[in-house]
Amino acid sequence: MHWINWAIVAVYLTIVVFDGLRRTRGTTNIEGYFLANRSLPWWAVGLSVMATQLSAITLIGTTGQGATDGLRFIQFYFGLPIAMVILGVTIVPFLHGAKVFTAYEFLEKRFDAKTRSLTSFLFLLSRGMSCGTIMAAPSVVLSAIFGWDITWCVALIGIPTVIYTVLGGVQAVTWADVKQMFVIVGALTAIVVVLIMRMPVPLDNALEIAGATGRLRVFDFSFNLSETYTFWSGILGGTFLMLSYFGTDQSQVQRYLAAKSVSEARSSLLMSAYWKIPLQALILLIGVLVFLFYTFTPAPMLYNPQHSAQVQQKEPATFAALEERYSSAIAKRELAARRASAELSDGVDMTSSSALFDFRSADSSVNVVRKDALAAAGRVTGEASRDVNYIIPRFVLDHLPLGFAGVFLAAVLAAAMSSIAAELNSLSTATVVDFYQRWFRKEGSDAHFLFVSKTATAIWGVFACVVAVYAANLGSLIEVVNRFGSFFYGSILGVFILAMLPRTKALGAFVGLLSGMAAVAAVSFGVPSVSFLWHNVIGAVVVVAVGTVLSVGGGRMEEPRTP
């Protein structure tokens, strides 16, 4: 990569790290370290919440998802606005008014210590794994650029990020997120402009061609539990997932607990409700445009350069045969696409375009060859070879003008560092407040608890690095994160729903939580065809049902007590 691109990366990361450390000065207690003394403005909290989601995973995994599968993934977020409105009038005032450090403290005030500890433990497990997946995303980029082993790439990202997080706090993380948000949107806009300018056919014709493959199809109204991205899974499963993520996940709750007031906390959540879906649609559209770009420009048979090199080295005859089939298929696809564009410009109706029919056929042939190539790569390397995460890095490095690759890489690295810092900070908060302070040492100096918090951050950083090495080869990283979360989120949400219902008891909450996790595990392993989005619904419903039955005849709900 050109030195100018590296200079852009170095300058941006220096600014982010320096400003982050500058903002940590004077932080001498855990309320300042974890909650910024509850002083952050709503717009900064809102941008921080969005920036955490628009992480390196979004830039890499979601764009790759758009290139291979189109816009259907946007249905995943249809429940987000509904969830934000519900949270704004329910759990936000509950938690903000209780003056807690973690969401799980509230559960002890409402139920008992074991319910709090179990719920917090499930959060730590799920978020620790997700944090590793977030770290894997930029590691994939570095691996694609330099051909380095993924382990060394994880170490390169993870070690400085852990150091920065140990020294920082939630205030530093939040203001880094604000800058990150502008850089990410700027990088995405630049990529869109370059893709449109380099499209060899009119943009409307190109989109018609993409539509012929189904990539512009947004809505799927089929009610199929095995299909992940449908309107109903997004509205129902997505709402439950978003309720749990934004309402009970400490990495998000910690943001609005740091806001100045309940009204500002609500405003920060509504920002995501307004802007998340349009931004996600833009990112997926970039993936579709990359697919179109490679329709008219020769695309790699395998986007992962390491896997491609290993197949060529170990099975040269197989690789040569695949390359011959692939070259023929993409040549036919390009020819059909250009003919289709000419017909569309001449006013030929899309439904009667023979060229579009030929294009769909050729595109299917390309996909068949790529499937065979991925199978060969998996056989040779012994790794799962779904190279969707390498599509956008290869495009950026091979085709963006000088300087643009540096901006994109800076955005990816900064997004990763900021998101990882936020995750590690919340993991440290839950570890220290829900376990160390609760069970081991209730009293101590601020200096002592700060030291313990920083130690916990370092430990979770090592754990995330280990997970990252494994997660890099699991397929679409954006799906991996949501699969991890969906295994736990529904059951955790169910406990918080019980906490806001009258007459529910501690026994019902605890047993309900165990039952919800057991139900999700049974469906996940016993009926794997059921999409992970429905796990959120199953977990929440089982927890509430079991908890309510076991609480029949109990006393009224106690009001949360302010510590």
Side-chain angles (χ1 to χ4, degrees), residues 69-73 75 211 214-222:
D69 198 42
L71 302 181
R72 293 191 314 130
F73 182 71
Q75 296 174 111
R215 282 178 171 81
L216 295 185
R217 182 185 179 190
V218 174
F219 297 101
D220 181 353
F221 291 103
S222 64

Side-chain angles (χ1 to χ4, degrees), residues 38 97-101 105 109 560-563:
R38 307 180 195 270
K99 297 296 181 184
V100 293
F101 277 84
E105 282 185 88
K109 296 173 182 296
R561 299 183 298 275
T562 301

Side-chain angles (χ1 to χ4, degrees), residues 31-70:
E31 184 163 18
Y33 187 76
F34 289 142
L35 297 179
N37 294 313
R38 307 180 195 270
S39 63
L40 295 176
W42 69 269
W43 58 269
V45 174
L47 286 174
S48 180
V49 168
M50 292 181 64
T52 302
Q53 300 167 70
L54 289 176
S55 63
I57 287 183
T58 303
L59 293 181
I60 295 172
T62 308
T63 46
Q65 189 89 11
T68 58
D69 198 42

Side-chain angles (χ1 to χ4, degrees), residues 149-166:
D149 185 85
I150 195 69
T151 303
W152 290 108
C153 296
V154 168
L156 183 63
I157 296 297
I159 291 173
T161 304
V162 171
I163 293 173
Y164 164 69
T165 309
V166 167

Side-chain angles (χ1 to χ4, degrees), residues 185-427:
V185 173
L188 293 175
T189 303
I191 291 174
V192 170
V193 171
V194 171
L195 282 166
I196 292 175
M197 290 179 63
R198 292 193 173 182
M199 200 68 65
V201 301
L203 181 60
D204 55 344
N205 289 358
L207 293 176
E208 288 271 14
I209 293 169
T213 67
R215 282 178 171 81
L216 295 185
R217 182 185 179 190
V218 174
F219 297 101
D220 181 353
F221 291 103
S222 64
F223 194 87
N224 184 354
L225 295 181
S226 300
E227 186 64 50
T228 300
Y229 305 117
T230 69
F231 177 84
W232 302 112
S233 68
I235 287 291
L236 299 176
T239 296
F240 276 78
L241 174 60
M242 299 304 172
L243 282 172
S244 186
Y245 179 56
F246 289 100
T248 70
D249 189 297
Q250 180 63 23
S251 66
Q252 299 303 310
V253 170
Q254 192 159 333
R255 297 297 203 287
Y256 59 73
L257 287 180
K260 295 178 181 179
S261 64
V262 172
S263 62
E264 295 217 6
R266 286 171 174 158
S267 297
S268 68
L269 290 181
L270 289 176
M271 180 181 287
S272 287
Y274 293 140
W275 291 104
K276 176 61 177 177
I277 292 179
L279 279 173
Q280 203 68 32
L282 172 64
I283 294 166
L284 288 168
L285 183 60
I286 288 175
V288 174
L289 291 175
V290 168
F291 160 75
L292 287 169
F293 177 85
Y294 278 131
T295 295
F296 298 101
T297 302
M301 181 173 64
L302 290 171
Y303 290 94
N304 185 332
Q306 293 178 343
H307 284 190
S308 180
Q310 289 184 55
V311 174
Q312 187 173 17
Q313 179 184 8
K314 295 181 180 179
E315 295 187 3
T318 300
F319 186 85
L322 287 169
E323 277 280 25
E324 184 178 355
R325 289 171 56 201
Y326 185 70
S327 297
S328 174
I330 61 173
K332 290 179 181 178
R333 185 177 68 173
E334 180 185 355
L335 178 62
R338 291 185 181 277
R339 284 179 46 226
S341 178
E343 287 185 2
L344 290 169
S345 295
D346 291 339
V348 176
D349 183 65
M350 179 178 172
T351 57
S352 60
S353 171
S354 60
L356 279 178
F357 177 83
D358 293 340
F359 172 76
R360 283 193 293 266
S361 176
D363 186 57
S364 296
S365 299
V366 169
N367 292 333
V368 168
V369 179
R370 272 188 38 81
K371 184 178 179 180
D372 292 343
L374 289 170
R379 182 175 63 251
V380 167
T381 63
E383 301 173 354
S385 188
R386 290 181 60 202
D387 59 0
V388 62
N389 302 313
Y390 291 84
I391 294 176
I392 192 67
R394 286 295 298 269
F395 166 76
V396 167
L397 296 171
D398 294 345
H399 299 287
L400 283 189
L402 181 63
F404 281 68
V407 172
F408 178 81
L409 186 57
V412 169
L413 295 179
M417 292 180 70
S418 189
S419 297
I420 295 166
E423 303 290 354
L424 294 180
N425 190 253
S426 66
L427 289 166

